[in-house]
Amino acid sequence: MSKSITIWAFGPFAEIAKKGGQQYLKEGNSDISVINVPDFVNYNEMLQALEIAIQHGSDYLPNIALMDVYQLRNFMEKYPNNFVSVNSILNGEDFIASAVYQVSIDGEIYAIPCAMEPVGFIIN
């Protein structure tokens, strides 16, 4: 039976998702035949759509949503029942500890830590 996956992303993340999805489909190693990556006007539109989808139930949610860690934590804390732990498929020790911490709550990892944003300040 053929399945589809929907990925919500914006900007360069959407382009990466589209290219990665095309490559995945070319490899033909699963029963997934379609990968949908809708075009959002801007990042805030995607976040608003995700908020509405969460409020209206799982039929409207994407399979994967790519966003920055600050928005992810906001969604995880606001809607804890809408996220699934990936501890069973992801070894947190394969990543930088601070990156894993940012995508975890109570020791459970809820996202793949795929990027880090450096934070710094100048003391004069």
Side-chain angles (χ1 to χ4, degrees):
M1 176 183 214
S2 176
K3 296 180 185 176
S4 69
I5 289 181
T6 299
I7 302 170
W8 285 7
F10 179 73
F13 289 119
E15 292 307 312
I16 291 167
K18 287 176 185 178
K19 287 179 183 176
Q22 290 169 353
Q23 181 62 38
Y24 185 82
L25 292 175
K26 281 182 187 176
E27 292 173 6
N29 55 7
S30 78
D31 59 350
I32 295 169
S33 62
V34 177
I35 296 180
N36 302 308
V37 183
D39 293 317
F40 289 99
V41 174
N42 60 46
Y43 186 58
N44 286 333
E45 180 191 39
M46 185 196 82
L47 295 176
Q48 289 171 346
L50 186 57
E51 182 104 25
I52 292 167
I54 288 172
Q55 292 171 359
H56 287 89
S58 62
D59 291 342
Y60 302 97
L61 289 167
N63 301 97
I64 299 168
L66 301 174
M67 67 187 75
D68 66 70
V69 69
Y70 304 108
Q71 290 297 333
L72 173 65
R73 286 199 69 79
N74 180 42
F75 278 107
M76 288 189 323
E77 290 170 1
K78 193 171 182 180
Y79 304 105
N81 296 330
N82 288 90
F83 292 86
V84 177
S85 170
V86 295
N87 283 33
S88 64
I89 60 170
L90 186 74
N91 182 357
E93 293 178 5
D94 291 340
F95 299 91
I96 296 170
S98 60
V100 173
Y101 173 78
Q102 290 295 318
V103 296
S104 301
I105 293 180
D106 296 329
E108 294 292 318
I109 303 169
Y110 290 94
I112 298 170
C114 63
M116 287 188 64
E117 297 177 17
V119 178
F121 60 95
I122 299 172
I123 300 175
N124 196 359

